[in-house]
Amino acid sequence: MSQLEKTTATGYPSAIVWDLDGTLVDSAQDLATALNSLLTEQGKHTHTVEHVRPMIGNGVGKLIERGFRASGASLDEPDVNKLLPRFMELYSACATQNTELNMDARSVLESFYHAGVRQGLCTNKPVSVTRMILNDLDISGFFGSVIGGDSTPHRKPHPLPLLTCLDELETRPEDAVMVGDSGADVGSARAARVPVILVPDVYTGVPAVTLGADYVVERLADIPQSIPPHPPLRQSA
């Protein structure tokens, strides 16, 4: 019996912690707008949204680094840190213009809410703009804890953000499940000893089945049925 099966043998887990970008929402258009504005200010060429998608993940610093590298400029960490405040100004101004919920996200959140499952959010996106997006999409009420990339000294794949979220939800790791779409989500969950379900990654293009999750589902709507007594669509070895 897997850890996730033990966690959910009598029903749903006590808590579910969600990733944001790629898992619950598609924010690529707004991230691309902010990145391209920053690139333009710095005299660099811009990128299409589809070119920006695989750059998303592991925080906005990585997005800046990848965006400038793709424009022919290599930035070290101090250079990225200098550009971060301006990026956040640009992004905060457009973060809710085109960001939208992924298919079935609201209905799945509602399903677990009505089932009495505590829900948290653990993202590498800064917490201030995360709350802006949650409020704009009218889903902030589903979450008893919201942890952003600047809420703790470490970001995913470090376990601290996830463990902090669970602490605020008053839930033990063994009684929870993480739902995400990336290797950072798997790494954080594994380090925190929390079972992890992945949905297909809409950003990096890395097949979710290669990332070592407990379960991989084809779409968000499959998550309630992937928890026993229903069998998972795919279980890692």
Side-chain angles (χ1 to χ4, degrees), residues 148-207:
D150 52 355
S151 297
T152 70
H154 301 283
R155 296 192 299 268
K156 296 180 298 184
H158 196 280
L160 182 60
L162 177 53
L163 291 173
T164 301
C165 187
L166 291 175
D167 186 58
E168 292 187 358
L169 293 173
E170 299 182 342
T171 302
R172 301 178 303 174
E174 60 266 31
D175 296 328
V177 170
M178 172 80 189
V179 180
D181 70 323
S182 71
D185 297 316
V186 174
S188 184
R190 285 281 177 258
R193 298 187 177 183
V194 174
V196 57
I197 298 172
L198 286 190
V199 297
D201 176 23
V202 299
Y203 289 142
T204 68
V206 176

Side-chain angles (χ1 to χ4, degrees), residues 60-176:
V60 294
K62 282 295 183 183
L63 175 61
I64 294 170
E65 178 188 330
R66 293 163 181 160
F68 274 78
R69 186 191 309 127
S71 292
S74 296
L75 302 181
D76 57 21
E77 186 173 352
D79 293 329
V80 171
N81 289 338
K82 288 178 183 177
L83 292 171
L84 269 170
R86 180 54 180 160
F87 177 88
M88 288 309 303
E89 289 178 4
L90 294 166
Y91 184 45
S92 296
C94 70
T96 60
Q97 289 182 2
N98 296 287
T99 292
E100 57 188 16
L101 285 170
N102 285 334
M103 184 179 296
D104 301 315
R106 187 179 301 278
S107 62
V108 171
L109 290 171
E110 288 176 345
S111 174
F112 286 118
Y113 174 80
H114 290 301
V117 178
R118 300 168 189 167
Q119 298 184 87
L121 190 80
C122 185
T123 174
N124 280 337
K125 187 187 293 292
V127 70
S128 60
V129 72
T130 294
R131 291 191 179 278
M132 285 175 54
I133 291 170
L134 298 182
N135 289 334
D136 184 76
L137 296 174
D138 193 28
I139 58 172
S140 60
F142 290 116
F143 304 109
S145 171
V146 176
I147 301 297
D150 52 355
S151 297
T152 70
H154 301 283
R155 296 192 299 268
K156 296 180 298 184
H158 196 280
L160 182 60
L162 177 53
L163 291 173
T164 301
C165 187
L166 291 175
D167 186 58
E168 292 187 358
L169 293 173
E170 299 182 342
T171 302
R172 301 178 303 174
E174 60 266 31
D175 296 328

Side-chain angles (χ1 to χ4, degrees), residues 18-101:
W18 302 87
D19 171 54
L20 183 63
D21 293 290
T23 302
L24 292 176
V25 307
D26 184 349
S27 56
Q29 177 67 65
D30 292 333
L31 286 166
T33 296
L35 176 63
N36 284 331
S37 295
L38 184 64
L39 288 166
T40 298
E41 289 181 356
Q42 297 296 315
K44 306 300 180 184
H45 71 76
T46 59
H47 310 298
T48 65
V49 175
E50 293 311 311
H51 194 183
V52 171
R53 279 186 182 276
M55 302 178 192
I56 299 170
N58 298 107
V60 294
K62 282 295 183 183
L63 175 61
I64 294 170
E65 178 188 330
R66 293 163 181 160
F68 274 78
R69 186 191 309 127
S71 292
S74 296
L75 302 181
D76 57 21
E77 186 173 352
D79 293 329
V80 171
N81 289 338
K82 288 178 183 177
L83 292 171
L84 269 170
R86 180 54 180 160
F87 177 88
M88 288 309 303
E89 289 178 4
L90 294 166
Y91 184 45
S92 296
C94 70
T96 60
Q97 289 182 2
N98 296 287
T99 292
E100 57 188 16
L101 285 170

